[in-house]
Amino acid sequence: MAKTSKNLLDEARSRIRAIDVEEARRMLEEHPGTVLIDVRESDEWRQGHIPQAVFVPRGFLELRIEEKVPEHQTPIIVQCAAGTRSLLAARSLAEMGYQNLYNLTGGFNAWKDRGLPWTAERAFTPEELTRYSRHFVIPEVGERGQAKLLDAKVLLLGAGALGSSSALYLAAAGVGTIGLVDFDVVDLSNLQRQIIHATERVGMPKTESAKISINAVNPGVKVIRHDVRLSSENAMEIIKDYDVVVNCGDNFPARYLINDACVFAGKPLVDGAIFRFEGNATVFYPAKGGPCYRCLYPEPAPPEMAPSCAEAGVLGALPGIIGSMEALEAMKLILGVGEPLIGSMVYFDTLTGRDYVRVLKIRRNPDCPVCGDHPTQTGLIDYEAFCGVGAAAGAAANGHAAGAVAAG
């Protein structure tokens, strides 16, 4: 027998308990495990919502609810604008086996009319709504996450091979401010791997060339050029305003310098390295309990064990893989989702068909001179001198040569 909408609503009312705004407020305050699900459409949510609410549009409710509320015994208050759509949504959840369901009568309108707290999401422009539409439908990103990306500031050390793919993907994702540290100019030999540059820009400062490409991808990104060599004198001043630092550099002094500066500033450092056919990526973040670069490599390798890109070469596509991973890790840190590579290193050996990708564990060294329990170095030093002093431990040298040289 066919059912009318009235039949469906009457059935839902007989199964779902209705609660008013005041009772809903008490439940949320006194029972922290209670989940408030807002099933309105995106434009309604954007205009205003209850701060505690979890946004699951009605059209995606059955597909996404178990991601948001895996336990079927969890108390759930379902809410829409006035209480009708949420009633039908709660009925659907009951059919899925959820047991403690409540419908907020009057919905968001009643909550707002009562003068209770509510908030509004960032107002996206029509162009942004289209540009980032694929992010909006990802539950872990959505409009809140995209707003975080747009407000974020990421500093890239190096606008070369790793910096190319990193910068372009960060820009495409909508990271609002990208800082570029590089004092070099574009050379014809760069173009085999540095895809952010172009033939007609040979001789142009790399930061200027990179800015052109970044804004061609996304005109809304603010690019801050730092046409300087990073040093102990300027590092802390440069990194202080950024949320995440991405190391795309190509020499040991810069690696130790940026590591130490990030440790002292409490900044997360996304690190990548490439060598011929091999590469790796990780996140150094002692402030979150992870290791720093010095935990992995206490001393620099001898220069002969760490050849530059010009000396050793690098397969042109490899930086695209590692640089993209660096961009991905930076975005995870900004969004606060997933498990960043803190204490783990993803290692690629692209010549082998077996164990092409491995994940290596990196432990924090409690005796590390920079991030250890009792650090002996509390300020930046002369890193050129540090990396030029004596032959460091031979056992670490091979690891440096294959796993820590980022070709520019």
Side-chain angles (χ1 to χ4, degrees), residues 223-237:
V223 179
I224 300 176
R225 295 172 54 192
H226 301 278
D227 295 291
V228 297
R229 182 191 293 269
L230 199 71
S231 69
S232 298
E233 287 69 39
N234 62 23
M236 299 302 292
E237 180 63 24

Side-chain angles (χ1 to χ4, degrees), residues 16-314:
I16 308 300
R17 179 182 167 185
I19 60 173
D20 62 19
V21 167
E22 194 57 35
E23 190 173 359
R25 182 189 63 78
R26 285 198 303 270
M27 279 186 66
L28 292 169
E29 288 180 355
E30 298 172 8
H31 303 281
T34 302
V35 179
L36 175 64
I37 299 292
D38 187 329
V39 297
R40 296 175 300 158
E41 298 301 317
S42 297
D43 57 340
E44 297 175 285
W45 168 269
R46 200 176 299 119
Q47 292 169 15
H49 57 267
I50 300 170
Q52 303 97 315
V54 176
F55 179 48
V56 187
R58 179 65 188 90
F60 293 93
L61 182 66
E62 291 81 1
L63 297 175
R64 294 182 181 171
I65 187 62
E66 289 180 318
E67 297 176 7
K68 304 295 185 180
V69 190
E71 297 296 330
H72 285 218
Q73 294 78 29
T74 301
I76 299 176
I77 302 171
V78 189
Q79 166 251 310
C80 63
T84 301
R85 284 174 292 170
S86 56
L87 179 61
L88 294 173
R91 175 180 179 272
S92 181
L93 294 181
E95 292 175 351
M96 293 180 66
Y98 285 92
Q99 301 168 15
N100 297 311
L101 295 165
Y102 304 85
N103 181 46
L104 180 59
T105 57
F108 176 69
N109 293 339
W111 181 282
K112 187 177 177 182
D113 291 343
R114 188 69 60 88
L116 295 176
W118 61 281
T119 186
E121 290 294 294
R122 182 192 186 103
F124 293 98
T125 66
E127 189 268 344
E128 288 174 332
L129 290 172
T130 301
R131 180 182 290 273
Y132 306 120
S133 60
R134 300 303 187 271
H135 276 178
F136 292 149
V137 298
I138 301 175
E140 293 83 359
V141 183
E143 295 189 10
R144 283 181 176 173
Q146 189 60 53
K148 290 180 181 180
L149 291 171
L150 288 166
D151 291 336
K153 298 179 180 180
V154 176
L155 179 69
L156 274 69
L157 177 60
L162 294 173
S164 290
S165 52
S166 255
L168 291 174
Y169 274 111
L170 289 170
V175 170
T177 301
I178 295 177
L180 300 171
V181 179
D182 204 309
F183 60 91
D184 201 2
V185 298
V186 179
D187 186 84
L188 187 61
S189 66
N190 300 149
L191 304 183
Q192 160 258 11
R193 64 203 178 279
Q194 298 183 15
I195 58 172
I196 204 167
H197 306 303
T199 303
E200 63 271 17
R201 299 184 209 152
V202 169
M204 180 183 292
K206 285 187 177 179
T207 58
E208 181 182 353
S209 172
K211 183 179 187 299
I212 293 170
S213 295
I214 288 170
N215 287 143
V217 170
N218 191 342
V221 174
K222 178 181 179 182
V223 179
I224 300 176
R225 295 172 54 192
H226 301 278
D227 295 291
V228 297
R229 182 191 293 269
L230 199 71
S231 69
S232 298
E233 287 69 39
N234 62 23
M236 299 302 292
E237 180 63 24
I238 288 175
I239 73 171
K240 67 180 177 64
D241 293 326
Y242 292 93
D243 304 306
V244 179
V245 179
V246 181
N247 182 24
C248 303
D250 64 353
N251 64 82
F252 285 133
R255 284 184 172 278
Y256 284 103
L257 166 60
I258 198 63
N259 173 79
D260 295 359
C262 286
V263 172
F264 298 145
K267 306 280 186 180
L269 173 61
V270 181
D271 190 80
I274 51 178
F275 179 79
R276 292 180 177 165
F277 293 90
E278 302 169 48
N280 64 58
T282 188
V283 176
F284 297 119
Y285 202 0
K288 294 295 184 181
C292 77
Y293 185 74
R294 294 249 202 161
C295 296
L296 185 60
Y297 301 116
E299 299 178 1
E304 65 272 13
M305 296 301 295
S308 68
C309 172
E311 296 166 324
V314 62

Side-chain angles (χ1 to χ4, degrees), residues 363-380:
R363 291 183 175 87
R364 175 179 172 271
N365 178 9
D367 297 321
C368 175
V370 173
C371 77
D373 297 339
H374 305 286
T376 56
Q377 181 187 323
T378 57
L380 302 180

